[in-house]
């Protein structure tokens, strides 16, 4: 099952395992002029993820106001991200499993995760290839379009579902670029 959490956030569920990608369930960026456009569909307390993947260290992807309360409810949750998220996790006293484009596939219950490079203001930013059951999902993460973007998405074979971060600014594709 796939649930959109707003922004570039998704919750995937398979075999009783919950994998959250970029959960931004607070409004922590509102004081900086980035208010939510929709209310969060669930609270941090209800996330109850086994795994949380943050594609890079920006507040709407690695949000301590979401992740720390979620970990209070579910302290055994494994947080995963690229080097920038690992570093920020260290500052918070939070262990983070590193995932980069050079990492081997990471098994998270029924989900197999592979990182793909993203072209964004956080140089460590990643996109994700997620294989689960007989489905393949590509989550671009925040990225601008590049000549090899489609090739990266297909690097591990055909994709059944493509999740594209689109806003046309702040290091993301426009709808035209995504199409």
């Amino acid at each position: 099952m796939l649930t959109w959490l707003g922004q570039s956030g998704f919750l995937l569920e398979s075999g009783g395992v919950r994998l959250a990608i970029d959960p931004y369930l607070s409004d922590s960026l509102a004081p900086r002029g980035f208010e939510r456009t929709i209310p969060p569909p669930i609270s941090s307390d209800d996330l109850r993820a086994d795994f949380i993947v943050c594609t890079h260290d920006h507040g709407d992807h690695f949000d301590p106001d979401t992740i720390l309360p979620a970990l209070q409810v579910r302290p055994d949750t494994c947080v995963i991200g690229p080097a920038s998220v690992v570093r920020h996790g260290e500052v918070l006293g939070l262990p983070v499993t590193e995932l980069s484009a050079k990492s081997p596939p990471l098994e998270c219950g029924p989900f197999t995760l592979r990182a793909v490079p993203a072209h964004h203001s956080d140089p460590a930013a990643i996109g994700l290839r997620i294989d689960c059951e007989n489905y393949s999902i590509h989550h671009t993460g925040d990225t601008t379009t590049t000549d090899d973007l489609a090739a990266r998405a297909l690097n591990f074979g055909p994709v059944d579902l493509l999740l594209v971060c689109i806003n046309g600014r702040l290091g993301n594709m426009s709808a035209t670029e995504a199409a």
Side-chain angles (χ1 to χ4, degrees):
M1 181 163 73
L2 175 76
T3 304
W4 181 50
L5 300 175
Q7 297 284 102
S8 66
F10 292 89
L11 178 63
L12 287 76
E13 299 177 71
S14 179
V17 176
R18 296 167 62 103
L19 170 72
I21 304 167
D22 290 342
Y24 176 62
L25 302 172
S26 74
D27 202 12
S28 64
L29 296 178
R32 294 184 12 209
F34 299 103
E35 292 185 23
R36 293 188 67 91
T37 56
I38 63 164
I42 63 173
S43 71
S44 296
D45 292 348
D46 293 329
L47 187 60
R48 299 188 193 308
D50 298 282
F51 303 93
I52 297 175
V53 181
C54 301
T55 59
H56 63 287
D57 186 25
H58 287 164
D60 56 336
H61 299 266
F62 182 51
D63 176 32
D65 288 354
T66 294
I67 293 171
L68 296 177
L71 292 174
Q72 289 294 318
V73 173
R74 188 80 201 272
D76 61 334
T77 298
C78 177
V79 179
I80 301 164
S84 57
V85 173
V86 171
R87 285 190 299 274
H88 191 171
E90 288 171 353
V91 170
L92 297 172
L94 173 67
V96 176
T97 298
E98 187 168 352
L99 181 64
S100 74
K102 295 180 180 180
S103 300
L106 184 60
E107 301 296 329
C108 299
F111 302 99
T112 300
L113 307 179
R114 292 177 181 87
V116 295
H119 189 263
H120 193 57
S121 57
D122 176 348
I126 59 172
L128 294 170
R129 168 62 181 253
I130 304 156
D131 291 302
C132 182
E133 298 173 15
N134 290 317
Y135 297 99
S136 296
I137 301 168
H138 182 84
H139 183 288
T140 64
D142 277 2
T143 188
T144 56
T145 189
T146 62
D147 290 341
D148 67 339
L149 185 66
R152 287 195 318 248
L154 297 172
N155 190 40
F156 302 106
V159 173
D160 297 300
L161 179 63
L162 179 62
L163 305 171
V164 184
C165 301
I166 300 172
N167 71 11
R169 60 191 185 96
L170 301 172
N172 292 294
M173 291 177 266
S174 68
T176 301
E177 291 168 329

